[in-house]
Amino acid sequence: MRIKEIICGQKVVFETGNYYFSPKGIDKGTLFMLSKVQAAKEDKVLDLGCGYGVVGISIAKEIGGEHIVMSDISEEALALTKANLALNGLASVRVIKSNGLKEIPDRDFTLILSNPPYHADFSVAKAFIEDGYKRLVLGGKMIMVTKRLTWYRNKFTSVFGGVKVFERDGYYVFVAEKRKVNRISQTREKQKLSKKLERKYGGKQKVSQKSG
């Protein structure tokens, strides 16, 4: 099965199969997410959970494939991604088999894009968001699309310190930027500081009281 589409102003073509997500046409949520992406040639982009390659290939057609990584846990999906990269004349994109971000060595992405399996439990999305934060440079962004709002908004806010949410046709696109200190890190640092101060000054206070 072959899909032809114009995405990000570029003509793209994909071979698909019945066993893959959205095999008969590009998923509306994916197109909505791509409409919120502003990629530049200097960006380093990760298509996390790439399926048959729509997101990564669409961005690569726009800015070139030299700084784009595409990953998935499925060998079959990656084989189809590689075929679609060749079909679209993109030889320089790096393709990695990875369970989430575990097998991806890079820690300098400026953009991480994902359409996670949101009909499953939240464990996959949780790992994507938490590990994705660690792999972004300061000022880097994670952009994700799902059909669920509350859990994702809360998770992005707790990890990134904030998130922008866009809605269309029942899909939600989350755009979160990595800042200097997120709320989780800030809270942990305050807790560590409080314990240090307690040990330093609390102990002395007890000693002085006893000596008096």
Side-chain angles (χ1 to χ4, degrees), residues 13-73:
V13 57
F14 302 100
E15 291 288 351
T16 72
N18 290 329
Y19 296 103
Y20 300 96
F21 174 68
S22 192
K24 297 181 180 180
I26 308 300
D27 170 60
K28 288 183 179 180
T30 297
L31 292 174
F32 181 31
M33 178 177 69
L34 285 168
S35 74
K36 298 299 179 182
V37 178
Q38 294 181 334
K41 289 186 177 181
E42 59 269 21
D43 278 316
K44 183 170 181 178
V45 184
L46 172 62
D47 178 2
L48 180 58
C50 63
Y52 58 81
V54 173
V55 172
I57 288 173
S58 299
I59 298 297
K61 289 284 282 189
E62 183 181 10
I63 67 171
E66 291 78 10
H67 305 296
I68 292 181
V69 178
M70 301 174 69
S71 72
D72 203 288
I73 194 172

Side-chain angles (χ1 to χ4, degrees), residues 55-177:
V55 172
I57 288 173
S58 299
I59 298 297
K61 289 284 282 189
E62 183 181 10
I63 67 171
E66 291 78 10
H67 305 296
I68 292 181
V69 178
M70 301 174 69
S71 72
D72 203 288
I73 194 172
S74 166
E75 290 185 0
E76 292 80 6
L78 293 179
L80 197 50
T81 288
K82 290 176 182 177
N84 284 328
L85 284 167
L87 198 59
N88 287 275
L90 297 166
S92 57
V93 174
R94 185 155 48 109
V95 178
I96 300 175
K97 181 183 178 183
S98 180
N99 180 6
L101 289 103
K102 290 179 180 178
E103 287 73 44
I104 299 173
D106 311 62
R107 292 182 174 272
D108 58 347
F109 292 107
T110 60
L111 279 173
I112 297 178
L113 311 174
S114 185
N115 186 346
Y118 46 80
H119 295 297
D121 60 40
F122 294 112
S123 61
V124 174
K126 180 177 181 291
F128 279 17
I129 294 169
E130 291 178 350
D131 294 343
Y133 177 88
K134 299 172 186 175
R135 305 303 184 88
L136 287 167
V137 299
L138 289 178
K141 293 180 180 179
M142 174 172 263
I143 304 178
M144 184 176 286
V145 61
T146 80
K147 275 194 168 184
R148 298 182 180 185
L149 173 62
T150 305
W151 184 91
Y152 285 88
R153 181 175 58 197
N154 292 343
K155 187 63 183 176
F156 270 109
T157 299
S158 69
V159 174
F160 282 80
V163 64
K164 293 181 180 179
V165 184
F166 303 89
E167 188 274 333
R168 187 171 75 191
D169 298 328
Y171 291 94
Y172 299 94
V173 170
F174 303 86
V175 181
E177 180 178 340

